[in-house]
Amino acid sequence: MMDPALETIAQSLINYDGLPETWRVPAIGRFSIGKTLYDYQTDALKNAARALFLYYGHNHDWVAGESPAAHDERKRNFADLYKHSGMADLRTYRKYESQAEERKGNTSQIFRILSDFLTPQGDVIPCHNFINRMCFWMATGSGKTLVMVKLIEYLHSLIRHGEIPPHNILLLAPSDHLIGQIQRTVDEFNQADLHIDLVPLRDSHRVRQGRLGEVATVYYHRSDNIADVQKEALTDYRLYENGGKWYVLLDEAHKGGKEDSRRQAYYALMAREGFLFNFSATFTDHEDIVTTVKKYNLKEFIQHGHGKSIYLNEKEYAAFRDRDEEISHDERRNIVLKSLITLAHVSIRVRELRNTTGLNDLYHLPLLITLVNSVNTDIEEEKNDLWAFFQTLRDLATGDIDGSLFQQSINELVREWKDARLLFEEDGGGIIGTDETAIRTMQVADLREAVFLSRDKGALQFIRSGDNKELALQLKNASDPFALIRIGDTSKWCKHLLAGYEETTTLNVQSFFDGLENSTITILMGSRSFFESWDSNRPNVINFINIGGTDAKKFVVQSVGRGVRIETLPGMRRRLAWLLGTLEGRTRDVLDAHHDQVQPPETLFLFATNRHAFTTVLEGVASEKRAALEKLDGLERIPVPHVGHGDMPLLVPEYKEVQHGADGQAQFAMSEETLSRFTTWLERTSDSVLAVRDGLAMTQIAALRGMVERKGGIQIRSDKRYAMITFLQARLLSHLAKSMAVSDGVRELADNDIVHFREIRVHADHAGTLQDMICQVKQGKPSDKDIVGLSAQLGQGTITREEFDKKISGQDKGTFKDLTIKTLLGHYYLPVILGNEKAQYIQHIIKAQSEIDFLDALEDWTKGNTVPWDAWMFSKLDESMDRIHLPYFDTQVNDDRRFLPDFVFWMCRGREYRIVFVDPKSTEFMSAGRKIDGYNKLFMRNGTARVFPYRPDWRISVSLFFYHPTRRPAEDYRQHWISDPGAIFMEGTLPHGPV
């Protein structure tokens, strides 16, 4: 594989210590109060400083107001550095992607995109146009997010000192989860001097110029939502490209297929006058590797002692590589036993090391993680993957395990460990520190003591957590639980798979998982969904049950990366061999005497039941590719029903923007004590000090003082305390600089408001079959127009339910794999496709189980009841694509949010008209409460629903309901919660006011 060229160039040409003071990273080793960076993290920042100095400050120093020609010359000079390093073959974009396409005469889409902003030379856009970039190739668990945040601090410092252009900073990440993780890291960093203010990209037009000196504004957005169209979720890069004057930071945003390749062009264009920084744990593209400024991937991370060694019995897995048949039940059971024996051995070794050294905080409490492909309790004949693992635990607990199989597993482990080769290690030599005698003589009782917390056999009992997402397992004769099942919803497990097991209520906890780091639990079980972004030193064994194949590669590599974390002693996150030279006194002497016994706790042991796929993943034979998806056609809008005065209009709320703080809108939350301190501080600080010291404009000063004096824009909340006045001031200024949406009547539904059914994409292998099935379902029913007419007749009582059912009977449903294709009475488009979360081969269908349950309940209700309106329709809303939403201000984070309910209903009777939003999945009452508060500000006045004018004498109201068949919120919000779908259509659900 090609080596990183930029890393070599930067280190060979620039001495970091010789850089001017303004070019050095501020407090390079410090991240936050109590947290410092590791050497490899500071090395990454030093290399970034070297590369930026080469680009902006070396032989082609940037000056304000320079010409475009000067900027182009800078790029060419920087590209020449690669040529001098023998790296002349950087990527260029050509008019034709391949000879085959050239013969067809199809020009490259990417070439056309880039040509709108860059000047081609013939049929080529030269590589120097894309040379202003650097990549950070850093392993999962290495703390690359910390490097990213420190890089933001560094860019802010360079801008303040006039060393680089004063462009804005944009952070892009491919998921809300990753953005949330970055936000938490920023919150931790903000305890220091500089404060980073994260602002959604779409709010960039609302933020006024004139930043506080010690606040860096950073815009953020979902990288997978950057597109060439502007929709609810998709953002047209052309509206925000700002002449290419961005410093763009990409977090894991480089992967994907053709669609993502176009996005790479968008990112490059947005940074064409600035710089592009790319962070990832895996790079495979040539240009990413060549422009890597710091390579510290999983191999380097482990080889330099920052993570556990990794063991996988490659010989055993290779023996199964070419087998066509599935491995047998006994072979699977053997693998499970090996993983448990390994955990017991490591646990015993840690206990012995702590006892003999006297260091009670040496290493960690070993943990086995079992990650499974499914926890579906509906497949009774197969149960599920987690159940198979559970059976082995049960048999070990009760003493029903086959003694010969147990001994066979021990003997095989001893043989395998003798000549084991750790991954990323060149030679074999076995796993040092394993005690062969101790392993061979291990009894089931020894395993039970180490893993189950009791030597004696006994029956299992279970404990449910308060949120019903977890089950803890415990032996009846033990005092503490030893295993945790975390699968999201444990009710089916309790009903179907744990029937007959005793449930104990002696422990009353909300979450075992939250306290896992210091708990007695030695085994963690669950599906792959919970594992992302979980940080822990405890894993020593990871057991992949029935996980394999191409779609699992990213997950497996990520899991391994998260399992290698290590902390030999508190605050010392390296293996012992790398720490001995830094230790002193008795601790060094004691550990030096035992250094040959520590490899078991310093090793991550991997087991799997899908061996060929798993080995392929770890060897890195091929990079992960997203399967090609094709658009699915045939889902069509139904005609709107006709009512006495014409076609029923489909209406949605319309909004206008007002300044934050106006008319009580978007109140900023803070505690009474915080407000008192800030008021006193502001009264004692003159306007001139605020203007000179903090760089505030007089309008900003007036806005701050007015907000404090009126207190109309402030909400008192005891939990929102701000320790630092300067940080609070920056947040208030950012808040006041924005505007928010308020209700401004209603408008007719636009064609691009609900579009997800036109963008359903499915794996190419299934597209033809699904296309045919859609046609069959449509042909088996009356026309859409007839269905609407029959529905109107049914609603008016001119035909009976029996007559209606008979007229529309036919093939109204089809099934394929995990999907159901069916018609739904009154739905905006037909047919509707339902699936589940496992159906990753198809996008933009209804997958959430709560939504499917709601539709089933609605369908049952309409079959037995008459809707008391002249006409009605409804539609699913896709939050990633559709434009209909309810804006609200979230005081939990003091920021604007958009609530996208799952369904919208329209109903009309005479000139009485209701728009009803329904969300069946919002069962987190605090989150739902904030959304209801936002709804009330928009659509309620003095406890009654606002009525909006539309046509002469029409009365339009907007309602919001959360649906759940059993759960109820606090009394304040009860009128917005329903358990019966029929309540959507009932009168008096919400009181109406005058127009």
Side-chain angles (χ1 to χ4, degrees):
M1 180 179 287
M2 184 89 50
D3 288 326
L6 185 55
E7 185 173 24
T8 302
I9 293 169
Q11 290 179 342
S12 61
L13 295 182
I14 301 297
N15 175 12
Y16 177 82
D17 294 331
L19 287 173
E21 185 64 29
T22 55
W23 275 96
R24 298 187 194 178
V25 181
I28 191 169
R30 184 189 66 189
F31 183 77
S32 64
I33 299 173
K35 178 175 284 188
T36 58
L37 300 183
Y38 293 109
D39 290 344
Y40 63 86
Q41 293 169 320
T42 58
D43 287 344
L45 292 167
K46 289 178 179 179
N47 284 355
R50 292 180 173 110
L52 286 172
F53 183 75
L54 279 171
Y55 187 76
Y56 283 114
H58 190 40
N59 294 324
H60 204 84
D61 195 18
W62 174 81
V63 293
E66 69 177 14
S67 66
H71 181 70
D72 188 68
E73 184 181 354
R74 173 180 294 106
K75 285 190 170 184
R76 293 179 186 274
N77 289 343
F78 198 61
D80 285 342
L81 297 177
Y82 288 86
K83 296 179 181 179
H84 296 326
S85 299
M87 306 302 301
D89 56 344
L90 289 173
R91 178 171 183 172
T92 59
Y93 288 89
R94 300 184 179 277
K95 185 174 183 180
Y96 298 103
E97 290 285 351
S98 66
Q99 291 182 353
E101 286 189 354
E102 185 171 0
R103 286 194 296 270
K104 296 178 183 177
N106 295 326
T107 57
S108 162
Q109 289 183 336
I110 296 177
F111 184 92
R112 290 199 302 270
I113 292 169
L114 297 173
S115 297
D116 288 340
F117 298 90
L118 303 171
T119 303
Q121 294 180 4
D123 287 345
V124 172
I125 300 178
C127 68
H128 78 267
N129 287 284
F130 316 102
I131 204 65
N132 53 329
R133 71 197 311 270
M134 67 176 70
C135 295
F136 297 81
W137 189 355
M138 303 183 70
T140 299
S142 64
K144 66 178 184 296
T145 306
L146 275 65
V147 175
M148 184 186 306
V149 174
K150 283 291 289 186
L151 179 62
I152 291 172
E153 178 191 36
Y154 180 50
L155 291 173
H156 180 72
S157 174
L158 291 175
I159 291 172
R160 289 185 62 201
H161 289 100
E163 298 288 8
I164 63 175
H167 301 330
N168 286 326
I169 300 171
L170 173 62
L171 193 155
L172 299 174
S175 70
D176 292 332
H177 180 83
L178 279 175
I179 289 175
Q181 180 178 316
I182 294 169
Q183 287 175 322
R184 290 189 292 273
T185 306
V186 166
D187 289 341
E188 180 181 4
F189 172 85
N190 280 344
Q191 301 173 43
D193 297 333
L194 177 72
H195 295 277
I196 296 173
D197 189 15
L198 292 175
V199 178
L201 175 62
R202 288 196 172 186
D203 287 348
S204 59
H205 66 287
R206 301 179 183 173
V207 179
R208 301 168 182 165
Q209 296 299 317
R211 301 173 183 164
L212 188 67
E214 292 304 322
V215 174
T217 299
V218 176
Y219 301 97
Y220 68 91
H221 200 65
R222 283 269 299 265
S223 57
D224 58 339
N225 287 341
I226 298 292
D228 57 1
V229 294
Q230 185 79 359
K231 296 183 179 180
E232 175 63 28
L234 299 180
T235 297
D236 190 336
Y237 76 98
R238 291 167 295 194
L239 300 179
Y240 298 90
E241 61 93 18
N242 191 35
K245 296 178 180 180
W246 285 101
Y247 297 113
V248 179
L249 284 73
L250 302 177
D251 187 20
E252 298 289 359
H254 66 290
K255 302 172 183 177
K258 292 181 179 179
E259 184 69 27
D260 295 86
S261 296
R262 287 199 297 272
R263 292 193 182 102
Q264 301 307 313
Y266 305 154
Y267 308 153
L269 288 173
M270 295 181 77
R272 67 186 185 278
E273 299 294 319
F275 216 94
L276 184 68
F277 305 88
N278 203 343
F279 293 78
S280 180
T282 55
F283 283 122
T284 56
D285 289 346
H286 177 83
E287 62 268 28
D288 290 332
I289 296 173
V290 169
T291 58
T292 290
V293 75
K294 178 61 178 179
K295 181 183 178 184
Y296 208 76
N297 59 7
L298 186 61
K299 179 179 180 181
E300 279 82 11
F301 187 67
I302 292 173
Q303 286 184 334
H304 289 87
H306 288 286
K308 301 183 184 83
S309 301
I310 299 177
Y311 168 73
L312 171 69
N313 188 340
E314 294 175 282
K315 289 184 178 179
E316 180 183 11
Y317 292 127
F320 285 84
R321 186 170 53 196
D322 300 320
R323 284 174 46 171
D324 294 329
E325 72 274 12
E326 290 290 329
I327 63 176
S328 67
H329 173 75
D330 286 345
E331 288 170 329
R332 291 177 186 273
R333 195 171 178 83
N334 177 246
I335 293 169
V336 171
L337 278 173
K338 286 182 181 180
S339 68
L340 291 167
I341 293 167
T342 301
L343 174 65
H345 178 70
V346 177
S347 298
I348 292 169
R349 176 50 49 86
V350 169
R351 185 177 63 206
E352 291 172 344
L353 285 169
R354 288 181 171 185
N355 289 337
T356 55
T357 62
L359 300 172
N360 293 327
D361 50 7
L362 182 64
Y363 293 112
H364 49 270
L365 300 174
L367 180 73
L368 181 152
I369 301 176
T370 289
L371 298 169
V372 302
N373 191 54
S374 73
V375 291
N376 182 12
T377 60
D378 295 330
I379 307 175
E380 288 299 325
E381 64 274 13
E382 295 182 6
K383 297 294 183 182
N384 55 61
D385 302 326
L386 196 51
W387 175 252
F389 183 81
F390 175 79
Q391 284 181 307
T392 305
L393 290 183
R394 178 198 60 198
D395 292 345
L396 283 167
T398 58
D400 293 333
I401 198 75
D402 187 324
S404 61
L405 181 59
F406 183 79
Q407 193 60 48
Q408 174 190 338
S409 300
I410 286 178
N411 294 336
E412 288 182 7
L413 274 179
V414 171
R415 291 195 301 270
E416 292 163 6
W417 287 355
K418 278 186 176 179
D419 60 349
R421 185 176 72 86
L422 300 173
L423 293 182
F424 309 126
E425 300 287 342
E426 297 301 324
D427 302 316
I431 299 178
I432 302 171
T434 57
D435 187 334
E436 180 177 339
T437 301
I439 297 173
R440 286 193 182 279
T441 58
M442 182 186 295
Q443 302 297 313
V444 174
D446 301 318
L447 186 149
R448 273 199 297 264
E449 182 179 20
V451 176
F452 295 75
L453 311 181
S454 173
R455 289 188 63 84
D456 299 326
K457 60 185 180 181
L460 291 177
Q461 59 186 9
F462 66 93
I463 311 162
R464 270 191 272 203
S465 65
D467 60 5
N468 207 35
K469 293 180 179 180
E470 304 169 357
L471 289 173
L473 301 179
Q474 180 178 333
L475 289 186
K476 281 189 175 182
N477 53 3
S479 57
D480 296 298
F482 72 90
L484 174 62
I485 300 173
R486 183 176 171 87
I487 55 177
D489 184 3
T490 59
S491 56
K492 287 187 177 180
W493 254 73
C494 296
K495 180 178 180 181
H496 298 297
L497 304 180
L498 292 178
Y501 288 87
E502 180 179 329
E503 178 178 3
T504 178
T505 57
T506 55
L507 293 179
N508 182 19
V509 295
Q510 185 65 23
S511 172
F512 293 97
F513 186 76
D514 290 346
L516 192 61
E517 287 305 291
N518 299 303
S519 76
T520 60
I521 288 176
T522 61
I523 298 173
L524 175 61
M525 298 174 277
S527 64
R528 59 177 77 181
S529 60
F530 86 88
F531 197 71
E532 186 177 357
S533 191
W534 174 56
D535 300 334
S536 175
N537 304 313
R538 292 192 60 190
N540 270 108
V541 185
I542 299 182
N543 206 342
F544 295 93
I545 303 292
N546 200 29
I547 288 179
T550 303
D551 66 330
K553 289 179 180 178
K554 180 179 178 180
F555 168 71
V556 172
V557 173
Q558 179 193 58
S559 303
V560 172
R562 297 205 177 278
V564 298
R565 297 170 188 265
I566 192 170
E567 190 169 16
T568 302
L569 287 167
M572 298 183 180
R573 300 178 184 273
R574 267 184 136 172
R575 300 200 302 274
L576 181 59
W578 296 82
L579 289 177
L580 278 175
T582 66
L583 300 175
E584 296 178 352
R586 180 184 176 278
T587 299
R588 174 187 169 88
D589 294 340
V590 169
L591 290 179
D592 189 26
H594 295 86
H595 73 274
D596 60 346
Q597 301 173 28
V598 301
Q599 192 157 16
E602 292 190 347
T603 302
L604 176 64
F605 297 82
L606 305 179
F607 296 87
T609 58
N610 190 322
R611 304 175 184 186
H612 173 51
F614 190 53
T615 304
T616 301
V617 171
L618 294 181
E619 290 177 346
V621 173
S623 60
E624 182 185 14
K625 298 290 183 181
R626 192 171 73 179
L629 299 177
E630 294 185 3
K631 186 178 288 189
L632 199 60
D633 297 320
L635 280 69
E636 299 175 350
R637 288 180 54 177
I638 66 171
V640 296
H642 186 80
V643 291
H645 37 70
D647 289 342
M648 183 180 80
L650 301 182
L651 305 177
V652 293
E654 191 167 30
Y655 308 106
K656 66 179 180 180
E657 290 192 347
V658 299
Q659 202 69 25
H660 273 183
D663 300 326
Q665 298 291 339
Q667 293 181 316
F668 188 94
M670 67 176 75
S671 68
E672 185 74 49
E673 185 268 340
T674 298
L675 176 60
S676 176
R677 286 194 304 110
F678 184 72
T679 301
T680 302
W681 177 83
L682 198 60
E683 289 173 348
R684 294 176 179 176
T685 308
S686 67
D687 289 357
S688 57
V689 169
L690 291 172
V692 175
R693 183 193 64 193
D694 298 342
L696 301 189
M698 294 307 297
T699 53
Q700 291 176 302
I701 296 171
L704 274 179
R705 294 193 186 281
M707 186 178 190
V708 170
E709 290 170 3
R710 293 192 312 269
K711 298 183 182 179
I714 297 174
Q715 180 188 108
I716 300 301
R717 278 187 43 182
S718 60
D719 61 323
K720 299 300 290 187
R721 295 184 294 273
Y722 290 85
M724 300 183 67
I725 293 295
T726 54
F727 179 52
L728 174 61
Q729 176 179 297
R731 291 295 305 274
L732 286 172
L733 287 172
S734 176
H735 174 78
L736 289 170
K738 299 176 184 178
S739 57
M740 72 167 295
V742 298
S743 180
D744 192 34
V746 296
R747 62 174 175 84
E748 292 197 16
L749 186 77
D751 187 60
N752 61 350
D753 282 336
I754 301 176
V755 298
H756 68 269
F757 66 99
R758 299 174 185 151
E759 298 297 328
I760 294 176
R761 296 179 183 271
V762 65
H763 192 287
D765 294 345
H766 309 315
T769 303
L770 282 175
Q771 205 74 67
D772 292 342
M773 191 168 293
I774 288 172
C775 293
Q776 292 172 11
V777 172
K778 290 171 64 177
Q779 291 170 2
K781 298 289 294 178
S783 69
D784 296 335
K785 186 175 182 180
D786 290 338
I787 292 176
V788 173
L790 291 168
S791 300
Q793 293 178 46
L794 178 64
Q796 295 164 3
T798 56
I799 61 174
T800 65
R801 167 58 61 177
E802 183 179 359
E803 291 171 329
F804 175 84
D805 290 341
K806 184 176 181 180
K807 288 178 181 292
I808 70 166
S809 63
Q811 183 181 351
D812 62 349
K813 184 167 70 173
T815 58
F816 171 78
K817 292 174 71 70
D818 307 310
L819 308 179
T820 299
I821 303 171
K822 63 188 298 184
T823 59
L824 285 176
L825 178 64
H827 198 262
Y828 181 71
Y829 62 86
L830 292 175
V832 177
I833 304 179
L834 311 176
N836 58 46
E837 296 295 342
K838 293 182 183 178
Q840 298 299 314
Y841 52 86
I842 190 169
Q843 298 176 345
H844 303 305
I845 65 168
I846 300 175
K847 292 183 179 181
Q849 189 58 49
S850 59
E851 296 172 18
I852 295 172
D853 291 343
F854 168 74
L855 290 175
D856 290 342
L858 177 66
E859 192 173 27
D860 289 342
W861 188 90
T862 56
K863 287 180 179 179
N865 298 274
T866 300
V867 176
W869 294 80
D870 294 344
W872 69 282
M873 286 181 63
F874 81 106
S875 182
K876 169 74 173 81
L877 299 178
D878 187 318
E879 65 180 359
S880 69
M881 305 197 74
D882 298 332
R883 298 178 59 218
I884 302 172
H885 69 281
L886 300 178
Y888 70 102
F889 186 78
D890 190 344
T891 55
Q892 187 70 24
V893 293
N894 278 327
D895 203 359
D896 298 313
R897 299 289 195 210
R898 286 190 171 195
F899 171 39
L900 295 102
D902 291 319
F903 297 95
V904 58
F905 285 73
W906 303 279
M907 53 197 75
C908 178
R909 182 175 53 233
R911 288 173 173 77
E912 189 79 16
Y913 190 103
R914 288 176 65 186
I915 305 167
V916 182
F917 292 103
V918 180
D919 195 311
K921 67 182 179 183
S922 295
T923 56
E924 296 180 5
F925 294 157
M926 290 300 295
S927 173
R930 293 191 292 272
K931 295 169 183 175
I932 293 171
D933 291 341
Y935 159 83
N936 287 337
K937 288 185 177 181
L938 290 169
F939 302 110
M940 299 286 287
R941 289 291 182 272
N942 300 319
T944 61
R946 294 177 62 186
V947 177
F948 299 94
Y950 172 62
R951 293 173 180 169
D953 300 327
W954 280 52
R955 294 166 54 84
I956 317 295
S957 62
V958 181
S959 301
L960 170 65
F961 297 114
F962 295 93
Y963 169 84
H964 194 279
T966 56
R967 298 184 72 177
R968 291 293 176 275
E971 184 65 33
D972 292 347
Y973 300 122
R974 188 155 295 177
Q975 65 175 338
H976 291 278
W977 285 78
I978 59 174
S979 57
D980 178 8
I984 296 169
F985 306 104
M986 296 298 105
E987 291 295 321
T989 310
L990 287 178
H992 291 176
V995 176

